[in-house]
Amino acid sequence: GQQVMQIPQYQHVQEGEDFTTYCNSSTTLSNIQWYKQRPGGHPVFLIQLVKSGEVKKQKRLTFQFGEAKKNSSLHITATQTTDVGTYFCAGRYGSSNTGKLIFGQGTTLQVKP
Amino acid sequence: DSGVTQTPKHLITATGQRVTLRCSPRSGDLSVYWYQQSLDQGLQFLIQYYNGEERAKGNILERFSAQQFPDLHSELNLSSLELGDSALYFCASSVVSSSPEAFFGQGTRLTVV
């Protein structure tokens, strides 16, 4: 069935180091979204990627969508303690706006000051 | 505040019982999603409704059911509860036509004892 795999499950970094999390889908996605969940909180939308090969940046965060629209990555440059949380990718299957939204397992980022 | 309201925030119940979780989406949002998040787990997609109709189903157990009412609020019914059903249940809504993101409620933490 439709499944989104995300790795790694956990990542501990020293403040200032870079961080990357990867998502992979077994089938082609309509689009992919990224969310951040702070400890004790709820997921909050970060960005959506729609086009094959798309790259978007938000300050220190860089998001990429693969050419085949099956994989994606989130890269954080020079992590800060405020980046702590769990980052989820969510793949949209079927219709671009009304299709299923399947979340990856998430990558929990810990940043040591 | 995401604009999505979930009640109750916490629920403690015994095995074998039945509970109803309620979700009020953001004003104007037609799509409602339900997710289950167990400890250290990702967001498991349960079911999606769009404008009162079931749109997509995920790994939802037969003991679980949901519906979306004409006023667009949604309820998730969990019956014959087992210890393993203890989890955080999130509802999310999206407007579909103009913005891609799903807005999450604060979640209902269900503890089955």
Side-chain angles (χ1 to χ4, degrees), chain A residues 25-46:
Chain A
S25 168
S26 53
T27 56
T28 303
L29 299 165
S30 299
N31 54 62
I32 194 157
Q33 300 178 2
W34 285 90
Y35 290 77
K36 178 182 178 181
Q37 184 177 22
R38 292 183 189 274
H42 60 276
V44 175
F45 175 82
L46 294 175

Side-chain angles (χ1 to χ4, degrees), chain B residues 36-107:
Chain B
Q36 179 193 56
Q37 187 173 41
S38 302
L39 195 63
D40 291 336
Q41 294 291 313
L43 292 151
Q44 297 296 319
F45 171 66
L46 297 178
I47 199 163
Q48 177 195 359
Y49 280 84
Y50 177 71
N51 202 19
E53 294 190 2
E54 184 183 301
R55 176 57 64 105
K57 240 178 181 175
N59 299 324
I60 187 166
L61 300 171
E62 285 191 12
R63 299 184 285 109
F64 295 1
S65 65
Q67 53 185 326
Q68 186 179 28
F69 295 86
D71 67 353
L72 300 178
H73 91 270
S74 178
E75 291 181 357
L76 179 66
N77 300 296
L78 315 176
S79 61
S80 302
L81 285 167
E82 302 174 359
L83 296 177
D85 297 327
S86 296
L88 194 50
Y89 291 84
F90 281 109
C91 163
S93 73
S94 67
V95 79
V96 174
S97 59
S98 63
S99 60
E101 66 260 47
F103 292 86
F104 280 76
Q106 298 291 333

